Amino acid sequence: MAADFPTLTSYQAFSFRALIWPTLPERPGQVLAAQWDAAARCGFKLMIDDGQLALLLGDGSGRIARQELPVRMLQRKWYVVTFTIDLAEQRFRLGQSALQADFGVQDSGSRAGALPLAVGHTACGLYLAGAPQADGTVAEHFNGKIEAPALFDGEQDHPTLAATTANPLPAAFMPRVIAAWNFSEAISSVRVTDVGPSRRHGQLVNLPARGMKGSNWTGEHHSFQAAPAQYGAVHFHEDDLYNADWPADIVWSVPDDVASGAYALHLRCGETEPEAMRESYIPFFIRPPRTKAAGTKRPKVAFLAPICSYMAYANHAGHIITPGVEAVMGRLLHFGHQDVYLYNHPEIGYSLYDKHTDGSGICYSSRLRPVLNCAPRYHSWLGGDGSSLYQYNADTHLLGWLAHHGIEYDVITDEDLHRDGYELIKDYRVILTGSHPEYHSTAMWDAMKAWLDRGGRLMYMGGNGWYWRIAFHDELPGVIEVRRAEDGIRSWEAEPGEYYQSFNAEYGGLWRRCGRPPNLMTGIGFVAQGFDVSSYYRRASDADDPRAAFIFEGVTDEIIGDFGLVGGGAAGIELDCINPLLGSPPNILRLASSENHGPLMLLVNEEFTSTLPTLGGDQNERVRADLTFMETAAGGAIFSTGSIAWCGSLPFQGYENNVSRITLNALRRFMDDRAFG
């Protein structure tokens, strides 16, 4: 949107040109460009309506005229679209042509004629991919890519305008340019650069996807930094959402004496039906002060809240809208009231595991919107018995366990670690992860590795950690980006040539594909996934190594964790194991390994190079979780559980069980000032 934009009806004639790649051309009422006063019903809107390019004109008296082309657009094909309005001569031109010859694509369509009415004067800004409504919102959103939109002073025919698609514009056209936006500039920002002489820059709202290949992408380069001119497109979606921009109903200042920890705002809403929807808890974390007061010390322990994973899964809807999920789960699913609400209200936005309406993957997710599944009472759909918990709820098992044992700790978050780096964590002796710390930025990875290399003690309390590389936006708070590139368990794939993150130009996808497998951080890495039931661990011979004696103090059981709130066992959902080829060090001890997994606990696809019939846990011995311990060269240590379900076993029998005892033994020794090794 360009808010401060001249009224185009002040020109005797003006022309518009853009390249477009529609993804839902059959949808009605999708605006490509508009200068429109919805209240007065005046101005113009260039749109795709039921597959046809159409021009709507309003004179401000209530009359609206529509002109359209008979040629229908196809999905995911590049077109040049143009229109000209000559107010002095009272005529218009409307045109489109396929940018590349393609079987089944009608090459061109155009229409010219007399204006059926005078175009009304409007002082509204210029909008792309949507139009302002009478209630002040923007709607009639376009689904697809727009590249190189430009406005010119004067009347131009379609062939002449279609010839101006070169980037940069031919010098002969520059004197006629009212505005020409180059989306290949400032890709990591929300700014839209006008390369015309008037510099009428715009701004993108609600984060449509940038770093998108344009109509001229050759396939030779895959990074927009290497060939910026080939990445001049923005992909717009009707369901893009960054910030709901709701006004604040409640403002609370954190008192100075409130301890760092996990908290929730408890809300009640009267007699709303059903009863389960009458109250809600909105969770939040209180961080420790940025600077320590004189004479105070940090606790030895910090919990790293995996809010990147919370954001990645925010409003996850795949289990609601994807056919065949029951076959993957091995059972019927249990839906809660939040799931039903999400199904009926997609406008609050989905997760990084879902797809936009047009089928493209959602690569941005924000916490600045209603998030229904990050709540203490969210009814999770995962786990074999329908009562298991996942993500935020699963992490409360660990927080409850810490409280039960009186462990003093601070809460820090992924976003804190990304912004503040090593300085944030340098004073903590022990850091505990959540059950599923899957998403990490480069800054987070580097900070944690620096801390470990200086003697930190990491307790990796889950599975499938340090898996996806993500980016934070430098200007906008509370939003992350993922590009699901060439490998990994993923519900969608980025388009070829769009693997680089628009927020920071880094190559996206798996950390493993960036030369940093999780084994280099925790000693183990993701190996299998399954959502039917969880299993148990069997004690391994390394448990008798004197180096691990403190971990098994008071625990003589051979079977560990054959109980729990997540699928009925401590080894489930997603599993990690030792792999020396990926960086598991030679001094790592395999204390226990899970066994007896079923056919729906499957080897992940980055673990094999060709399709095999024996991928399930009932046939493949590689499908297992390893409970491990190792020392580091700087006197630190790493304890890794290898399973998302581990924390779900901590509360069993009032926290008196072998999973709880093993974890407590490890934590108490990790808190001890004595060096390891």
Side-chain angles (χ1 to χ4, degrees):
M1 179 184 73
D4 298 326
F5 202 82
T7 301
L8 291 171
T9 49
S10 64
Y11 291 87
Q12 287 190 338
F14 61 92
S15 303
F16 175 84
R17 181 268 293 136
L19 300 166
I20 67 167
W21 190 72
T23 51
L24 289 174
E26 70 280 1
R27 285 285 183 90
Q30 299 182 77
V31 170
L32 298 171
Q35 192 168 54
W36 182 257
D37 186 326
R41 296 169 65 83
C42 66
F44 74 86
K45 291 193 286 189
L46 180 69
M47 7 184 12
I48 298 176
D49 201 19
D50 293 322
Q52 296 175 283
L53 187 68
L55 182 64
L56 266 66
L57 308 169
D59 64 0
S61 69
R63 294 190 303 158
I64 295 178
R66 171 190 168 101
Q67 310 296 324
E68 62 185 36
L69 297 180
V71 179
R72 292 189 177 273
M73 296 182 181
L74 297 182
Q75 186 182 46
R76 296 174 178 257
K77 304 295 181 184
W78 280 104
Y79 295 89
V80 183
V81 295
T82 67
F83 79 89
T84 292
I85 294 178
D86 189 327
L87 297 171
E89 299 295 331
Q90 286 293 291
R91 61 190 178 199
F92 76 93
R93 297 177 184 271
L94 185 62
Q96 76 177 55
S97 56
L99 195 62
Q100 299 165 332
D102 198 350
F103 179 78
V105 178
Q106 291 180 267
D107 184 59
S108 65
S110 61
R111 184 179 180 187
L115 286 175
L117 49 78
V119 181
H121 175 88
T122 174
C124 295
L126 188 85
Y127 290 77
L128 297 175
Q133 307 297 298
D135 61 1
T137 62
V138 176
E140 301 176 283
H141 301 291
F142 169 65
N143 291 282
K145 293 181 180 180
I146 298 179
E147 180 182 6
L151 281 157
F152 302 91
D153 184 4
E155 181 183 17
Q156 305 290 338
D157 60 21
H158 177 75
T160 302
L161 289 171
T164 67
T165 58
N167 186 12
L169 282 167
F173 281 89
M174 292 305 291
R176 308 177 200 173
V177 170
I178 299 173
W181 294 282
N182 184 350
F183 293 157
S184 68
E185 294 192 12
I187 283 176
S188 296
S189 74
V190 295
R191 187 172 64 257
V192 174
T193 304
D194 175 13
V195 297
S198 299
R199 311 298 287 176
R200 295 183 173 109
H201 306 308
Q203 183 172 346
L204 296 173
V205 178
N206 275 329
L207 286 175
R210 302 200 74 172
M212 297 285 110
K213 63 180 186 282
S215 60
N216 59 345
W217 185 65
T218 65
E220 181 180 0
H221 299 285
H222 289 251
S223 167
F224 57 82
Q225 285 194 314
Q230 296 182 26
Y231 286 85
V234 171
H235 194 154
F236 296 90
H237 313 87
E238 64 186 43
D239 49 2
D240 286 325
L241 179 61
Y242 161 60
N243 192 338
D245 279 326
W246 287 2
D249 292 314
I250 299 172
V251 177
W252 180 62
S253 297
V254 180
D256 293 338
D257 59 350
V258 174
S260 174
Y263 295 82
L265 176 66
H266 185 196
L267 301 177
R268 295 184 184 275
C269 52
E271 299 303 318
T272 303
E273 295 295 339
E275 184 176 353
M277 296 293 285
R278 293 179 186 173
E279 64 176 349
S280 180
Y281 291 84
I282 301 175
F284 61 93
F285 298 106
I286 294 181
R287 307 172 303 190
R290 281 289 191 270
T291 57
K292 293 182 294 183
T296 63
K297 291 184 178 180
R298 301 283 195 208
K300 290 185 175 183
V301 178
F303 169 66
L304 179 60
I307 65 169
C308 289
S309 288
Y310 300 163
M311 282 195 278
Y313 286 89
N315 296 338
H316 185 203
H319 61 293
I320 306 172
I321 60 179
T322 304
V325 175
E326 289 85 355
V328 177
M329 303 293 132
R331 56 185 167 80
L332 294 176
L333 301 187
H334 295 246
F335 291 151
H337 296 293
Q338 295 97 329
D339 295 311
V340 175
Y341 186 91
L342 182 61
Y343 181 81
N344 291 324
H345 295 275
E347 68 274 10
I348 66 175
Y350 289 137
S351 75
L352 294 180
Y353 287 81
D354 299 307
K355 296 179 181 179
H356 289 288
T357 306
D358 68 357
S360 60
I362 297 175
C363 63
Y364 306 138
S365 182
S366 163
R367 58 175 169 80
L368 303 180
R369 58 190 173 109
V371 178
L372 301 184
N373 60 351
C374 185
R377 290 192 173 182
Y378 175 67
H379 181 100
S380 176
W381 50 279
L382 288 174
D385 60 1
S387 63
S388 67
L389 305 176
Y390 192 47
Q391 289 297 328
Y392 175 82
N393 282 344
D395 292 339
T396 63
H397 295 147
L398 176 59
L399 300 178
W401 177 85
L402 289 169
H404 176 81
H405 290 290
I407 306 296
E408 185 183 2
Y409 66 97
D410 280 343
V411 173
I412 56 177
T413 73
D414 289 346
E415 199 163 348
D416 300 326
L417 185 59
H418 173 82
R419 301 297 180 195
D420 298 342
Y422 169 74
E423 288 298 312
L424 175 71
I425 58 177
K426 67 178 183 179
D427 293 332
Y428 295 107
R429 183 164 298 280
V430 186
I431 292 178
L432 295 98
T433 75
S435 62
H436 191 28
E438 184 177 6
Y439 291 83
H440 295 262
S441 69
T442 301
M444 291 169 58
W445 207 102
D446 291 346
M448 184 62 71
K449 192 66 169 64
W451 178 78
L452 283 171
D453 289 345
R454 288 162 175 80
R457 290 113 186 253
L458 177 65
M459 294 186 66
Y460 172 36
M461 298 299 296
N464 188 12
W466 283 270
Y467 191 64
W468 290 107
R469 188 184 209 175
I470 56 100
F472 283 88
H473 202 284
D474 284 339
E475 301 171 6
L476 303 177
V479 62
I480 60 172
E481 174 184 18
V482 70
R483 295 296 174 107
R484 302 201 185 278
E486 297 174 79
D487 207 349
I489 294 290
R490 58 212 191 278
S491 53
W492 56 268
E493 296 177 324
E495 291 275 343
E498 296 174 357
Y499 298 155
Y500 282 77
Q501 296 167 161
S502 65
F503 288 178
N504 60 7
E506 292 179 346
Y507 182 72
L510 296 187
W511 272 114
R512 176 171 172 171
R513 293 299 179 199
C514 298
R516 299 186 185 187
N519 309 65
L520 294 177
M521 186 70 73
T522 67
I524 56 178
F526 188 31
V527 69
Q529 179 186 73
F531 304 115
D532 51 351
V533 294
S534 298
S535 191
Y536 56 87
Y537 293 75
R538 184 179 295 276
R539 187 174 173 131
S541 59
D542 284 351
D544 298 324
D545 191 297
R547 293 160 51 201
F550 70 93
I551 296 176
F552 286 92
E553 184 178 347
V555 179
T556 59
D557 304 332
E558 182 178 1
I559 302 300
I560 299 165
D562 54 342
F563 49 82
L565 297 176
V566 181
I573 305 295
E574 290 171 341
L575 311 178
D576 294 14
C577 74
I578 295 170
N579 188 336
L581 297 179
L582 293 175
S584 300
N587 71 322
I588 192 169
L589 297 179
R590 183 172 65 88
L591 308 176
S593 294
S594 66
E595 62 184 24
N596 198 30
H597 293 288
L600 294 181
M601 178 62 76
L602 297 167
L603 202 70
V604 294
N605 53 292
E606 62 267 25
E607 285 292 313
F608 57 89
T609 54
S610 60
T611 304
L612 302 170
T614 56
L615 299 180
D618 58 334
Q619 301 181 68
N620 196 312
E621 63 180 11
R622 295 169 63 194
V623 174
R624 71 180 194 276
D626 286 337
L627 182 72
T628 63
F629 166 75
M630 64 183 187
E631 304 93 346
T632 64
I638 300 171
F639 171 82
S640 297
T641 68
S643 165
I644 284 178
W646 179 271
C647 288
S649 297
L650 293 173
F652 185 71
Q653 291 184 340
Y655 300 100
E656 296 298 327
N657 59 77
N658 52 27
V659 169
S660 178
R661 182 63 182 267
I662 286 170
T663 306
L664 185 62
N665 287 343
L667 177 57
R668 284 175 171 165
R669 175 61 182 92
F670 276 35
M671 293 172 65
D672 193 314
D673 292 338
R674 291 173 298 154
F676 285 92

